Amino acid sequence: MKSLPFIDLLIVIAYLAGMVAVGIYFSRKNTNAEQFTKASGRIPGWAIGISIYATFLSSNTFLGVPGKAFGSNWSSFVFSLSMPLAAWVATKFFIPFYRSTGEVSAYTHLEHRFGPWARTYAVACFLLTQLARMGSIFFGIALSLQALTGYPMSTIMVVVGICIVLYTVMGGMEAVIWTEVVQGVIKTIGALVILYLVVSGVSGGMPSIIEVGKASDKFSLGTMAPDFTTASFWVILLYGFFMNLNNFGMDQNYVQRYHTTSSVKEAASSVWLCVYLYVPVSLIFFLLGTCLFAYYQGNPELLQTIKMQVAAEKLPGGTTDAITNLAATLTPADYGDKVMPHFMVTKVPVGLLGLIIAAIMSAAMSTISSGMNASATVFSVDIYQKYVKSDLTSQQSLRLLYIATTVFGLLGMITGIAMIGVKSVLDVWWMLSGIFAGGMLGLFLLGIISKSTKNTEALTATIIGIVVIVWMTFSNQLPDSYAYLRNPLHQNMIMVVGTLTIFLTGVVLTRLKGRQPVEKEVLLHSK
């Protein structure tokens, strides 16, 4: 980090060393697979709540949300507003269910209900979702640290990734949770510090920011019209509810934590603590995006540097004139993700910059570490022990978890490197997660709610749902001659429609099958 002042460099090094030290400390306790995946069920509910909050508050939130608010408005905040309803459903129905089964994997239940194919399908969707999540978060942290250090994004991902792998592999779930508690505090403080610096830099302070925001419609939550073709209020609300229900209800990252508490009540309280923390803090990040917009409106000359940087990335090897011409055409949505890193480089004083970098690292590391641990657990329980070797010794299980955790960390890095050059990190994450999670949630709800649905109806419904999800995702690639076959709905509706397609199709098929014996009996009696 050659461009950082020495004191900031020391802060960053101390933070990274502290995270690895936590992993080394808890490595002494990891003598079996249960300790590695469940922390032996001894973690207090408040710590779990902060760790879940830290997982939600990823670098996608830290960088993507201000960038989104800068480039458009607060419509994405509706995602946060949907959290309480999803949390209520999860705490009332899902958490008691998981605690009663005792299964560390969220997907074992699907095999009991519908057979091995259902469990395998859900596991595949989960692992793909995790790779998309980890990749987008690696990308987000590299995006900001590149501006602060001058190092290539790929190099940053590798260095940070190695530190994450070290403490996650050594410390297991207990290290993940306690590092996330620290990281949750650090990144919240970091966000408040940045907000204070931005507001201080705007002539007229907060009243001026509110005036600029109102004039540019920055506080809008989206159109309230029943429009499902754009990112309207209702589209984000529906997407947010289903996505948060997926997170709280069947995402291994969260389900695994429910087993680390001592009771159902403690697990439920941890979810509500996450909601109480995340909703107001996410609002701070939207406010931060609007404050940045007002700041750069008052300092338009500073935006030219950002525009030229983005244009140069879009035209590698382009001439100066071509880059300048492209820069002149860019809109706030094109360079929103670059604004906060630029502000930190130019306006954050020495000493605080190290804290901000640590906060950004915290935002990425907390989510990636939990994703690595959960992915390794799912791979071990649902794939390796299911299809390769079921009678593993305690040491073999632990060794498998070590290897799988490392591999998923490396795959997350590779995915992040592949994302370099995307327009909006938040948009990419929402699109990919919606594709992979939609079918998984629909099948899970079918298994939980429709008790009489059997294997055949569930499989048929899932196949139909997958076809619908694939069509909605890729139909926009069809040539103009087939424009009438394109998906007319907004991409965030993919998860909503995919989930409902599988669930409702399964329910209808179950009822139709239930009527067949009655109809045959009536026909026999009539003869």
Side-chain angles (χ1 to χ4, degrees):
M1 295 186 177
K2 54 192 177 184
S3 65
L4 284 179
F6 183 69
I7 187 170
D8 293 308
L9 180 60
L10 284 180
I11 292 172
V12 173
I13 292 174
Y15 166 74
L16 291 174
M19 293 298 100
V20 175
V22 171
I24 294 173
Y25 174 79
F26 285 111
S27 65
R28 299 174 299 172
K29 297 183 179 182
N30 280 324
T31 57
N32 56 65
E34 184 180 7
Q35 173 64 30
F36 188 91
T37 58
K38 295 184 181 182
S40 296
R42 298 175 304 186
I43 309 296
W46 64 265
I48 301 298
I50 296 177
S51 76
I52 296 175
Y53 156 73
T55 300
F56 260 100
L57 194 63
S58 67
S59 60
N60 289 348
T61 304
F62 210 98
L63 296 165
V65 166
K68 194 75 173 171
F70 180 96
S72 56
N73 52 35
W74 286 17
S75 61
S76 298
F77 179 61
V78 180
F79 180 93
S80 300
L81 296 179
S82 69
M83 285 184 70
L85 181 57
W88 179 82
V89 174
T91 54
K92 187 170 181 61
F93 299 105
F94 291 145
I95 291 179
F97 169 77
Y98 286 123
R99 294 283 304 196
S100 66
T101 65
E103 298 283 357
V104 69
S105 169
Y107 313 115
T108 307
H109 166 71
L110 289 174
E111 181 172 5
H112 299 327
R113 283 287 283 113
F114 303 128
W117 70 268
R119 181 181 184 180
T120 303
Y121 169 71
V123 166
C125 287
F126 170 76
L127 293 178
L128 289 171
T129 304
Q130 290 309 297
L131 287 179
R133 173 184 284 168
M134 289 191 287
S136 65
I137 291 167
F138 267 118
F139 170 77
I141 187 176
L143 186 70
S144 58
L145 295 187
Q146 180 193 40
L148 297 172
T149 66
Y151 288 145
M153 292 176 69
S154 55
T155 303
I156 294 169
M157 292 186 207
V158 170
V159 172
V160 174
I162 288 172
C163 292
I164 300 172
V165 168
L166 282 174
Y167 79 75
T168 306
V169 169
M170 290 188 296
M173 178 53 81
E174 197 162 3
V176 168
I177 289 171
W178 287 113
T179 53
E180 283 182 336
V181 170
V182 176
Q183 290 161 347
V185 173
I186 290 176
K187 55 193 174 185
T188 303
I189 294 173
L192 293 172
V193 169
I194 298 173
L195 180 63
Y196 171 77
L197 293 173
V198 177
V199 173
S200 300
V202 176
S203 178
M206 189 58 72
S208 178
I209 291 169
I210 293 173
E211 186 178 337
V212 172
K214 285 182 176 179
S216 302
D217 199 29
K218 288 296 175 182
F219 300 112
S220 170
L221 295 179
T223 175
M224 299 297 289
D227 181 8
F228 299 97
T229 62
T230 62
S232 66
F233 177 91
W234 305 109
V235 166
I236 303 300
L237 185 68
L238 285 170
Y239 173 82
F241 171 72
F242 280 95
M243 195 67 218
N244 284 315
L245 187 60
N246 178 76
N247 289 335
F248 288 135
M250 62 169 304
D251 189 317
Q252 181 69 24
N253 283 291
Y254 306 95
V255 173
Q256 200 164 327
R257 286 175 173 83
Y258 302 154
H259 292 289
T260 63
T261 61
S262 59
S263 66
V264 172
K265 184 178 179 181
E266 283 278 287
S269 66
S270 69
V271 170
W272 283 114
L273 178 58
C274 167
V275 173
Y276 297 148
L277 289 172
Y278 184 81
V279 174
V281 172
S282 67
L283 182 61
I284 290 174
F285 283 97
F286 281 99
L287 178 61
L288 178 56
T290 303
C291 292
L292 286 166
F293 181 83
Y295 175 82
Y296 283 97
Q297 284 287 100
N299 301 274
E301 69 282 357
L302 298 177
L303 275 182
Q304 188 59 29
T305 304
I306 301 174
K307 291 180 179 179
M308 291 295 288
Q309 178 189 352
V310 174
E313 291 177 0
K314 290 179 178 290
L315 286 177
T319 64
T320 303
D321 289 341
I323 292 174
T324 302
N325 291 335
L326 177 59
T329 66
L330 296 177
T331 65
D334 294 315
Y335 51 82
D337 284 345
K338 300 282 189 180
V339 171
M340 194 161 83
H342 177 268
F343 179 85
M344 289 188 287
V345 170
T346 57
K347 299 299 176 182
V348 175
V350 173
L352 282 179
L353 186 56
L355 172 65
I356 301 303
I357 292 175
I360 295 172
M361 286 184 169
S362 296
M365 295 170 82
S366 58
T367 309
I368 293 173
S369 62
S370 61
M372 287 167 55
N373 187 283
S375 297
T377 301
V378 166
F379 175 81
S380 173
V381 175
D382 295 305
I383 296 179
Y384 193 89
Q385 294 183 52
K386 172 69 177 174
Y387 296 108
V388 181
K389 187 178 181 182
S390 59
D391 55 338
L392 295 176
T393 65
S394 178
Q395 287 304 309
Q396 287 174 332
S397 295
L398 197 56
R399 193 180 305 117
L400 174 63
L401 287 167
Y402 288 156
I403 295 171
T405 302
T406 304
V407 169
F408 280 109
L410 295 175
L411 289 175
M413 276 188 270
I414 294 170
T415 306
I417 293 171
M419 287 183 179
I420 294 176
V422 301
K423 181 177 178 181
S424 170
V425 63
L426 192 65
D427 285 342
V428 169
W429 160 236
W430 278 17
M431 182 188 73
L432 293 176
S433 62
I435 293 169
F436 298 134
M440 184 167 56
L441 180 60
L443 180 61
F444 193 83
L445 291 176
L446 186 63
I448 290 287
I449 297 173
S450 183
K451 301 293 186 182
S452 56
T453 300
K454 304 300 181 185
N455 176 42
T456 304
E457 302 92 87
L459 178 58
T460 305
T462 302
I463 292 173
I464 293 172
I466 292 172
V467 170
V468 170
I469 291 171
V470 169
W471 165 71
M472 292 185 71
T473 304
F474 299 108
S475 61
N476 288 335
Q477 307 296 323
L478 292 172
D480 291 340
S481 56
Y482 293 97
Y484 63 93
L485 292 176
R486 292 174 182 168
N487 168 31
L489 302 177
H490 189 269
Q491 67 180 21
N492 287 344
M493 289 298 293
I494 294 174
M495 178 175 189
V496 178
V497 174
T499 299
L500 292 176
T501 297
I502 293 177
F503 174 71
L504 295 176
T505 302
V507 170
V508 170
L509 290 175
T510 301
R511 292 191 175 182
L512 289 175
K513 187 174 182 180
R515 288 178 182 175
Q516 287 177 0
V518 177
E519 291 172 353
K520 289 179 181 178
E521 188 175 339
V522 170
L523 287 172
L524 287 172
H525 282 296
S526 66
K527 291 181 179 178

